[in-house]
Amino acid sequence: MATPTLRQLEYLAAVVDTGSFTRAAEQLHVTQPALSHQIRALETALGGPLLERLPRSVRLTPTGRAVLPHARAALAEADRLQAVARRATGLEEGELEVAAVYSISLGILPPVLRAWHRRHPGVRIRLREYAHADRLQEAMAAGRADLAIGPAPEGWEGPIRELGVEEFTVVLAADDPLAAPRADDGLREGRREGRSEGRTAGSVALGALADRAWVHYAPDNGLADLLDQACAGAGFHPRAAVRAEQTSAAPLLAAAGLGPALVPADIIPPHFDGLLLRPDPPIRRTLTAYTRTRPDPCTVAFAELLAERARINPPVAEQPAGHG
């Protein structure tokens, strides 16, 4: 059985309201044969006659009287749907689905979301978080979000906007022996207004931590791969003292003395009491916002605000040189 269309329901309501196929056709700007054809198709779809054709008027059949209220309700709902879509296009109302890797939602998104809510209070944000950049890109390709924020995607065909370069820091307990020799040195990059970023003690070569057991990440967390690759470049494979499922747990566990952790500098919490060391050479990754081929105005507006408000470490050229 065919499904009635909104056009057919509109034609039925017009015939009833005008009391005539001729007047309904004139009102709808269609030919009378086309109108009659659609009404017959609707009757076939619903399994019986809806209108009784009289010499000078029409009258609803019992089936027609039962169907008409639902037809009017469907037409009204369609009108509301169009109105909501128009308001969303104008950034007045709607919902935007944003996907991000864990570290982004912890350290970068909060001030952006606050600014968005102030500018567009009627457009809700639904945040989806992913532990791995590959899962983020898969979700975006599958249409589960309007915009993704994370490391640069591979082979992406839609628009990609670079947001900045994310800096990583090594976290240790505040009383770690590595703190004493460099107590006067500063880790300047990545700081934000009103935030205490713990004790800073210059830089450290990852190889100097080769004999330590690390605060590692769960295998499905993308930072596990990043740590393994960084340590491999320094000539060793990190032993895991503990594996954290959540990115936010890593600096806290490291500050508690369980071992060094490599974390994005942006996620260091306020009033952090651990020791921060800049890896030497520095470890960085470019962060991006990307969308599918034709983003809607709401998505474009969010991407622009993100580029404006995202507080990410300064470009590589502006970073102070590392200490040996």
Side-chain angles (χ1 to χ4, degrees), residues 213-246:
W214 285 69
V215 174
H216 214 313
Y217 297 93
D220 61 349
N221 189 315
L223 295 184
D225 297 338
L226 187 146
L227 175 60
D228 286 342
Q229 292 166 9
C231 292
F236 70 98
H237 182 77
R239 292 183 295 113
V242 62
R243 287 187 179 270
E245 293 280 348
Q246 296 293 330

PDB file of all heavy atoms in Angstrom, residues 213-246:
ATOM      1  N   ALA A 213      58.374   3.760  35.269  1.00  0.00           N
ATOM      2  CA  ALA A 213      57.074   3.201  34.881  1.00  0.00           C
ATOM      3  C   ALA A 213      56.115   4.377  34.721  1.00  0.00           C
ATOM      4  O   ALA A 213      56.024   5.243  35.597  1.00  0.00           O
ATOM      5  CB  ALA A 213      56.556   2.229  35.939  1.00  0.00           C
ATOM      6  N   TRP A 214      55.407   4.430  33.595  1.00  0.00           N
ATOM      7  CA  TRP A 214      54.623   5.599  33.201  1.00  0.00           C
ATOM      8  C   TRP A 214      53.148   5.468  33.560  1.00  0.00           C
ATOM      9  O   TRP A 214      52.603   4.359  33.660  1.00  0.00           O
ATOM     10  CB  TRP A 214      54.721   5.803  31.693  1.00  0.00           C
ATOM     11  CG  TRP A 214      56.038   6.362  31.240  1.00  0.00           C
ATOM     12  CD1 TRP A 214      57.244   5.731  31.256  1.00  0.00           C
ATOM     13  CD2 TRP A 214      56.269   7.668  30.711  1.00  0.00           C
ATOM     14  NE1 TRP A 214      58.222   6.554  30.773  1.00  0.00           N
ATOM     15  CE2 TRP A 214      57.649   7.756  30.421  1.00  0.00           C
ATOM     16  CE3 TRP A 214      55.464   8.762  30.447  1.00  0.00           C
ATOM     17  CZ2 TRP A 214      58.223   8.897  29.886  1.00  0.00           C
ATOM     18  CZ3 TRP A 214      56.029   9.904  29.902  1.00  0.00           C
ATOM     19  CH2 TRP A 214      57.404   9.974  29.634  1.00  0.00           C
ATOM     20  N   VAL A 215      52.524   6.629  33.703  1.00  0.00           N
ATOM     21  CA  VAL A 215      51.065   6.679  33.676  1.00  0.00           C
ATOM     22  C   VAL A 215      50.698   6.656  32.199  1.00  0.00           C
ATOM     23  O   VAL A 215      50.858   7.653  31.483  1.00  0.00           O
ATOM     24  CB  VAL A 215      50.527   7.954  34.355  1.00  0.00           C
ATOM     25  CG1 VAL A 215      49.004   8.035  34.164  1.00  0.00           C
ATOM     26  CG2 VAL A 215      50.884   7.962  35.831  1.00  0.00           C
ATOM     27  N   HIS A 216      50.255   5.496  31.739  1.00  0.00           N
ATOM     28  CA  HIS A 216      49.963   5.285  30.321  1.00  0.00           C
ATOM     29  C   HIS A 216      48.459   5.457  30.100  1.00  0.00           C
ATOM     30  O   HIS A 216      47.706   5.757  31.030  1.00  0.00           O
ATOM     31  CB  HIS A 216      50.430   3.888  29.902  1.00  0.00           C
ATOM     32  CG  HIS A 216      50.932   3.806  28.491  1.00  0.00           C
ATOM     33  ND1 HIS A 216      50.246   4.351  27.426  1.00  0.00           N
ATOM     34  CD2 HIS A 216      52.059   3.226  27.970  1.00  0.00           C
ATOM     35  CE1 HIS A 216      50.915   4.127  26.313  1.00  0.00           C
ATOM     36  NE2 HIS A 216      52.031   3.446  26.612  1.00  0.00           N
ATOM     37  N   TYR A 217      48.029   5.251  28.874  1.00  0.00           N
ATOM     38  CA  TYR A 217      46.608   5.367  28.517  1.00  0.00           C
ATOM     39  C   TYR A 217      46.078   4.010  28.082  1.00  0.00           C
ATOM     40  O   TYR A 217      46.838   3.145  27.614  1.00  0.00           O
ATOM     41  CB  TYR A 217      46.425   6.377  27.379  1.00  0.00           C
ATOM     42  CG  TYR A 217      46.839   7.780  27.757  1.00  0.00           C
ATOM     43  CD1 TYR A 217      48.127   8.236  27.493  1.00  0.00           C
ATOM     44  CD2 TYR A 217      45.951   8.647  28.396  1.00  0.00           C
ATOM     45  CE1 TYR A 217      48.518   9.516  27.846  1.00  0.00           C
ATOM     46  CE2 TYR A 217      46.331   9.927  28.748  1.00  0.00           C
ATOM     47  CZ  TYR A 217      47.618  10.360  28.481  1.00  0.00           C
ATOM     48  OH  TYR A 217      48.001  11.623  28.830  1.00  0.00           O
ATOM     49  N   ALA A 218      44.765   3.834  28.207  1.00  0.00           N
ATOM     50  CA  ALA A 218      44.132   2.611  27.722  1.00  0.00           C
ATOM     51  C   ALA A 218      44.398   2.455  26.231  1.00  0.00           C
ATOM     52  O   ALA A 218      44.514   3.458  25.514  1.00  0.00           O
ATOM     53  CB  ALA A 218      42.632   2.650  27.998  1.00  0.00           C
ATOM     54  N   PRO A 219      44.485   1.209  25.732  1.00  0.00           N
ATOM     55  CA  PRO A 219      44.859   1.004  24.328  1.00  0.00           C
ATOM     56  C   PRO A 219      43.958   1.720  23.324  1.00  0.00           C
ATOM     57  O   PRO A 219      44.416   2.091  22.251  1.00  0.00           O
ATOM     58  CB  PRO A 219      44.769  -0.520  24.175  1.00  0.00           C
ATOM     59  CG  PRO A 219      45.010  -1.052  25.550  1.00  0.00           C
ATOM     60  CD  PRO A 219      44.377  -0.055  26.473  1.00  0.00           C
ATOM     61  N   ASP A 220      42.665   1.922  23.650  1.00  0.00           N
ATOM     62  CA  ASP A 220      41.771   2.565  22.682  1.00  0.00           C
ATOM     63  C   ASP A 220      41.822   4.091  22.765  1.00  0.00           C
ATOM     64  O   ASP A 220      41.121   4.783  22.020  1.00  0.00           O
ATOM     65  CB  ASP A 220      40.330   2.083  22.869  1.00  0.00           C
ATOM     66  CG  ASP A 220      39.766   2.419  24.240  1.00  0.00           C
ATOM     67  OD1 ASP A 220      40.553   2.832  25.122  1.00  0.00           O
ATOM     68  OD2 ASP A 220      38.546   2.258  24.434  1.00  0.00           O
ATOM     69  N   ASN A 221      42.653   4.642  23.640  1.00  0.00           N
ATOM     70  CA  ASN A 221      42.844   6.082  23.717  1.00  0.00           C
ATOM     71  C   ASN A 221      43.963   6.471  22.761  1.00  0.00           C
ATOM     72  O   ASN A 221      45.060   5.914  22.802  1.00  0.00           O
ATOM     73  CB  ASN A 221      43.196   6.493  25.152  1.00  0.00           C
ATOM     74  CG  ASN A 221      43.191   7.990  25.363  1.00  0.00           C
ATOM     75  OD1 ASN A 221      43.720   8.745  24.556  1.00  0.00           O
ATOM     76  ND2 ASN A 221      42.591   8.439  26.457  1.00  0.00           N
ATOM     77  N   GLY A 222      43.700   7.424  21.893  1.00  0.00           N
ATOM     78  CA  GLY A 222      44.679   7.816  20.893  1.00  0.00           C
ATOM     79  C   GLY A 222      45.992   8.307  21.487  1.00  0.00           C
ATOM     80  O   GLY A 222      47.047   8.219  20.844  1.00  0.00           O
ATOM     81  N   LEU A 223      45.968   8.814  22.727  1.00  0.00           N
ATOM     82  CA  LEU A 223      47.203   9.284  23.345  1.00  0.00           C
ATOM     83  C   LEU A 223      48.131   8.139  23.719  1.00  0.00           C
ATOM     84  O   LEU A 223      49.332   8.367  23.929  1.00  0.00           O
ATOM     85  CB  LEU A 223      46.878  10.136  24.573  1.00  0.00           C
ATOM     86  CG  LEU A 223      46.150  11.448  24.288  1.00  0.00           C
ATOM     87  CD1 LEU A 223      45.962  12.260  25.565  1.00  0.00           C
ATOM     88  CD2 LEU A 223      46.896  12.285  23.249  1.00  0.00           C
ATOM     89  N   ALA A 224      47.603   6.920  23.786  1.00  0.00           N
ATOM     90  CA  ALA A 224      48.477   5.768  24.006  1.00  0.00           C
ATOM     91  C   ALA A 224      49.423   5.597  22.825  1.00  0.00           C
ATOM     92  O   ALA A 224      50.626   5.360  22.991  1.00  0.00           O
ATOM     93  CB  ALA A 224      47.643   4.504  24.219  1.00  0.00           C
ATOM     94  N   ASP A 225      48.882   5.739  21.617  1.00  0.00           N
ATOM     95  CA  ASP A 225      49.728   5.663  20.421  1.00  0.00           C
ATOM     96  C   ASP A 225      50.745   6.792  20.403  1.00  0.00           C
ATOM     97  O   ASP A 225      51.916   6.593  20.056  1.00  0.00           O
ATOM     98  CB  ASP A 225      48.863   5.725  19.158  1.00  0.00           C
ATOM     99  CG  ASP A 225      47.909   4.555  19.035  1.00  0.00           C
ATOM    100  OD1 ASP A 225      48.167   3.506  19.660  1.00  0.00           O
ATOM    101  OD2 ASP A 225      46.904   4.692  18.310  1.00  0.00           O
ATOM    102  N   LEU A 226      50.291   7.999  20.756  1.00  0.00           N
ATOM    103  CA  LEU A 226      51.195   9.153  20.723  1.00  0.00           C
ATOM    104  C   LEU A 226      52.347   8.966  21.701  1.00  0.00           C
ATOM    105  O   LEU A 226      53.510   9.244  21.364  1.00  0.00           O
ATOM    106  CB  LEU A 226      50.406  10.422  21.036  1.00  0.00           C
ATOM    107  CG  LEU A 226      51.161  11.741  20.882  1.00  0.00           C
ATOM    108  CD1 LEU A 226      50.225  12.836  20.388  1.00  0.00           C
ATOM    109  CD2 LEU A 226      51.797  12.189  22.214  1.00  0.00           C
ATOM    110  N   LEU A 227      52.063   8.477  22.921  1.00  0.00           N
ATOM    111  CA  LEU A 227      53.121   8.256  23.906  1.00  0.00           C
ATOM    112  C   LEU A 227      54.091   7.185  23.437  1.00  0.00           C
ATOM    113  O   LEU A 227      55.317   7.351  23.532  1.00  0.00           O
ATOM    114  CB  LEU A 227      52.509   7.873  25.254  1.00  0.00           C
ATOM    115  CG  LEU A 227      53.505   7.499  26.355  1.00  0.00           C
ATOM    116  CD1 LEU A 227      54.452   8.660  26.660  1.00  0.00           C
ATOM    117  CD2 LEU A 227      52.775   7.058  27.620  1.00  0.00           C
ATOM    118  N   ASP A 228      53.557   6.086  22.904  1.00  0.00           N
ATOM    119  CA  ASP A 228      54.430   5.013  22.423  1.00  0.00           C
ATOM    120  C   ASP A 228      55.352   5.506  21.306  1.00  0.00           C
ATOM    121  O   ASP A 228      56.546   5.182  21.274  1.00  0.00           O
ATOM    122  CB  ASP A 228      53.597   3.835  21.925  1.00  0.00           C
ATOM    123  CG  ASP A 228      52.964   3.040  23.062  1.00  0.00           C
ATOM    124  OD1 ASP A 228      53.439   3.179  24.216  1.00  0.00           O
ATOM    125  OD2 ASP A 228      52.008   2.284  22.797  1.00  0.00           O
ATOM    126  N   GLN A 229      54.790   6.299  20.389  1.00  0.00           N
ATOM    127  CA  GLN A 229      55.598   6.802  19.275  1.00  0.00           C
ATOM    128  C   GLN A 229      56.671   7.786  19.757  1.00  0.00           C
ATOM    129  O   GLN A 229      57.817   7.755  19.286  1.00  0.00           O
ATOM    130  CB  GLN A 229      54.692   7.472  18.239  1.00  0.00           C
ATOM    131  CG  GLN A 229      53.779   6.501  17.508  1.00  0.00           C
ATOM    132  CD  GLN A 229      52.671   7.202  16.747  1.00  0.00           C
ATOM    133  OE1 GLN A 229      52.671   8.430  16.619  1.00  0.00           O
ATOM    134  NE2 GLN A 229      51.720   6.434  16.226  1.00  0.00           N
ATOM    135  N   ALA A 230      56.308   8.663  20.706  1.00  0.00           N
ATOM    136  CA  ALA A 230      57.272   9.633  21.220  1.00  0.00           C
ATOM    137  C   ALA A 230      58.414   8.925  21.953  1.00  0.00           C
ATOM    138  O   ALA A 230      59.591   9.277  21.783  1.00  0.00           O
ATOM    139  CB  ALA A 230      56.578  10.626  22.152  1.00  0.00           C
ATOM    140  N   CYS A 231      58.081   7.912  22.750  1.00  0.00           N
ATOM    141  CA  CYS A 231      59.112   7.184  23.484  1.00  0.00           C
ATOM    142  C   CYS A 231      59.967   6.335  22.543  1.00  0.00           C
ATOM    143  O   CYS A 231      61.187   6.218  22.737  1.00  0.00           O
ATOM    144  CB  CYS A 231      58.470   6.316  24.556  1.00  0.00           C
ATOM    145  SG  CYS A 231      57.711   7.268  25.903  1.00  0.00           S
ATOM    146  N   ALA A 232      59.331   5.767  21.518  1.00  0.00           N
ATOM    147  CA  ALA A 232      60.103   5.007  20.533  1.00  0.00           C
ATOM    148  C   ALA A 232      61.130   5.906  19.850  1.00  0.00           C
ATOM    149  O   ALA A 232      62.264   5.488  19.578  1.00  0.00           O
ATOM    150  CB  ALA A 232      59.165   4.380  19.503  1.00  0.00           C
ATOM    151  N   GLY A 233      60.738   7.157  19.577  1.00  0.00           N
ATOM    152  CA  GLY A 233      61.671   8.101  18.985  1.00  0.00           C
ATOM    153  C   GLY A 233      62.834   8.421  19.911  1.00  0.00           C
ATOM    154  O   GLY A 233      63.913   8.818  19.455  1.00  0.00           O
ATOM    155  N   ALA A 234      62.624   8.241  21.227  1.00  0.00           N
ATOM    156  CA  ALA A 234      63.690   8.473  22.208  1.00  0.00           C
ATOM    157  C   ALA A 234      64.452   7.191  22.534  1.00  0.00           C
ATOM    158  O   ALA A 234      65.326   7.197  23.408  1.00  0.00           O
ATOM    159  CB  ALA A 234      63.093   9.058  23.486  1.00  0.00           C
ATOM    160  N   GLY A 235      64.075   6.084  21.859  1.00  0.00           N
ATOM    161  CA  GLY A 235      64.842   4.854  21.996  1.00  0.00           C
ATOM    162  C   GLY A 235      64.372   3.871  23.045  1.00  0.00           C
ATOM    163  O   GLY A 235      65.117   2.967  23.431  1.00  0.00           O
ATOM    164  N   PHE A 236      63.117   3.984  23.505  1.00  0.00           N
ATOM    165  CA  PHE A 236      62.636   3.002  24.494  1.00  0.00           C
ATOM    166  C   PHE A 236      61.127   2.834  24.368  1.00  0.00           C
ATOM    167  O   PHE A 236      60.447   3.611  23.695  1.00  0.00           O
ATOM    168  CB  PHE A 236      63.003   3.444  25.915  1.00  0.00           C
ATOM    169  CG  PHE A 236      62.232   4.645  26.423  1.00  0.00           C
ATOM    170  CD1 PHE A 236      61.123   4.491  27.247  1.00  0.00           C
ATOM    171  CD2 PHE A 236      62.617   5.939  26.068  1.00  0.00           C
ATOM    172  CE1 PHE A 236      60.414   5.583  27.712  1.00  0.00           C
ATOM    173  CE2 PHE A 236      61.909   7.043  26.524  1.00  0.00           C
ATOM    174  CZ  PHE A 236      60.808   6.870  27.349  1.00  0.00           C
ATOM    175  N   HIS A 237      60.617   1.789  24.992  1.00  0.00           N
ATOM    176  CA  HIS A 237      59.170   1.547  25.052  1.00  0.00           C
ATOM    177  C   HIS A 237      58.725   1.776  26.492  1.00  0.00           C
ATOM    178  O   HIS A 237      59.291   1.179  27.415  1.00  0.00           O
ATOM    179  CB  HIS A 237      58.833   0.120  24.631  1.00  0.00           C
ATOM    180  CG  HIS A 237      57.357  -0.158  24.635  1.00  0.00           C
ATOM    181  ND1 HIS A 237      56.505   0.284  23.640  1.00  0.00           N
ATOM    182  CD2 HIS A 237      56.575  -0.807  25.546  1.00  0.00           C
ATOM    183  CE1 HIS A 237      55.272  -0.091  23.920  1.00  0.00           C
ATOM    184  NE2 HIS A 237      55.289  -0.753  25.070  1.00  0.00           N
ATOM    185  N   PRO A 238      57.735   2.628  26.723  1.00  0.00           N
ATOM    186  CA  PRO A 238      57.349   2.965  28.100  1.00  0.00           C
ATOM    187  C   PRO A 238      56.653   1.809  28.816  1.00  0.00           C
ATOM    188  O   PRO A 238      55.706   1.226  28.296  1.00  0.00           O
ATOM    189  CB  PRO A 238      56.398   4.155  27.917  1.00  0.00           C
ATOM    190  CG  PRO A 238      55.805   3.962  26.555  1.00  0.00           C
ATOM    191  CD  PRO A 238      56.890   3.339  25.719  1.00  0.00           C
ATOM    192  N   ARG A 239      57.146   1.490  30.004  1.00  0.00           N
ATOM    193  CA  ARG A 239      56.451   0.527  30.863  1.00  0.00           C
ATOM    194  C   ARG A 239      55.270   1.232  31.533  1.00  0.00           C
ATOM    195  O   ARG A 239      55.374   2.415  31.889  1.00  0.00           O
ATOM    196  CB  ARG A 239      57.385  -0.025  31.935  1.00  0.00           C
ATOM    197  CG  ARG A 239      58.498  -0.904  31.409  1.00  0.00           C
ATOM    198  CD  ARG A 239      59.345  -1.465  32.552  1.00  0.00           C
ATOM    199  NE  ARG A 239      60.059  -0.419  33.275  1.00  0.00           N
ATOM    200  CZ  ARG A 239      59.818  -0.084  34.536  1.00  0.00           C
ATOM    201  NH1 ARG A 239      58.844  -0.692  35.218  1.00  0.00           N
ATOM    202  NH2 ARG A 239      60.521   0.869  35.132  1.00  0.00           N
ATOM    203  N   ALA A 240      54.163   0.543  31.699  1.00  0.00           N
ATOM    204  CA  ALA A 240      52.965   1.148  32.269  1.00  0.00           C
ATOM    205  C   ALA A 240      52.835   0.806  33.747  1.00  0.00           C
ATOM    206  O   ALA A 240      52.767  -0.376  34.120  1.00  0.00           O
ATOM    207  CB  ALA A 240      51.719   0.688  31.525  1.00  0.00           C
ATOM    208  N   ALA A 241      52.827   1.829  34.589  1.00  0.00           N
ATOM    209  CA  ALA A 241      52.507   1.625  35.999  1.00  0.00           C
ATOM    210  C   ALA A 241      51.002   1.511  36.176  1.00  0.00           C
ATOM    211  O   ALA A 241      50.499   0.767  37.021  1.00  0.00           O
ATOM    212  CB  ALA A 241      53.040   2.798  36.826  1.00  0.00           C
ATOM    213  N   VAL A 242      50.254   2.260  35.356  1.00  0.00           N
ATOM    214  CA  VAL A 242      48.796   2.250  35.373  1.00  0.00           C
ATOM    215  C   VAL A 242      48.329   2.770  34.019  1.00  0.00           C
ATOM    216  O   VAL A 242      49.037   3.547  33.376  1.00  0.00           O
ATOM    217  CB  VAL A 242      48.249   3.129  36.531  1.00  0.00           C
ATOM    218  CG1 VAL A 242      48.660   4.585  36.341  1.00  0.00           C
ATOM    219  CG2 VAL A 242      46.737   3.009  36.656  1.00  0.00           C
ATOM    220  N   ARG A 243      47.179   2.327  33.585  1.00  0.00           N
ATOM    221  CA  ARG A 243      46.607   2.808  32.324  1.00  0.00           C
ATOM    222  C   ARG A 243      45.306   3.541  32.625  1.00  0.00           C
ATOM    223  O   ARG A 243      44.406   2.989  33.268  1.00  0.00           O
ATOM    224  CB  ARG A 243      46.367   1.654  31.348  1.00  0.00           C
ATOM    225  CG  ARG A 243      47.657   1.121  30.746  1.00  0.00           C
ATOM    226  CD  ARG A 243      47.396   0.099  29.649  1.00  0.00           C
ATOM    227  NE  ARG A 243      48.634  -0.392  29.058  1.00  0.00           N
ATOM    228  CZ  ARG A 243      49.232   0.164  28.007  1.00  0.00           C
ATOM    229  NH1 ARG A 243      48.697   1.225  27.427  1.00  0.00           N
ATOM    230  NH2 ARG A 243      50.361  -0.332  27.533  1.00  0.00           N
ATOM    231  N   ALA A 244      45.208   4.769  32.156  1.00  0.00           N
ATOM    232  CA  ALA A 244      44.033   5.605  32.417  1.00  0.00           C
ATOM    233  C   ALA A 244      43.061   5.524  31.246  1.00  0.00           C
ATOM    234  O   ALA A 244      43.467   5.681  30.091  1.00  0.00           O
ATOM    235  CB  ALA A 244      44.458   7.051  32.644  1.00  0.00           C
ATOM    236  N   GLU A 245      41.796   5.274  31.538  1.00  0.00           N
ATOM    237  CA  GLU A 245      40.764   5.314  30.509  1.00  0.00           C
ATOM    238  C   GLU A 245      40.473   6.745  30.100  1.00  0.00           C
ATOM    239  O   GLU A 245      40.360   7.066  28.922  1.00  0.00           O
ATOM    240  CB  GLU A 245      39.479   4.655  31.026  1.00  0.00           C
ATOM    241  CG  GLU A 245      39.570   3.156  31.267  1.00  0.00           C
ATOM    242  CD  GLU A 245      39.430   2.358  29.989  1.00  0.00           C
ATOM    243  OE1 GLU A 245      39.049   2.944  28.957  1.00  0.00           O
ATOM    244  OE2 GLU A 245      39.712   1.145  30.022  1.00  0.00           O
ATOM    245  N   GLN A 246      40.358   7.626  31.083  1.00  0.00           N
ATOM    246  CA  GLN A 246      40.019   9.020  30.825  1.00  0.00           C
ATOM    247  C   GLN A 246      41.289   9.871  30.767  1.00  0.00           C
ATOM    248  O   GLN A 246      42.145   9.788  31.651  1.00  0.00           O
ATOM    249  CB  GLN A 246      39.090   9.556  31.918  1.00  0.00           C
ATOM    250  CG  GLN A 246      37.737   8.870  31.963  1.00  0.00           C
ATOM    251  CD  GLN A 246      36.907   9.164  30.732  1.00  0.00           C
ATOM    252  OE1 GLN A 246      37.031  10.229  30.137  1.00  0.00           O
ATOM    253  NE2 GLN A 246      36.058   8.233  30.354  1.00  0.00           N
TER     254      GLN A 246
END
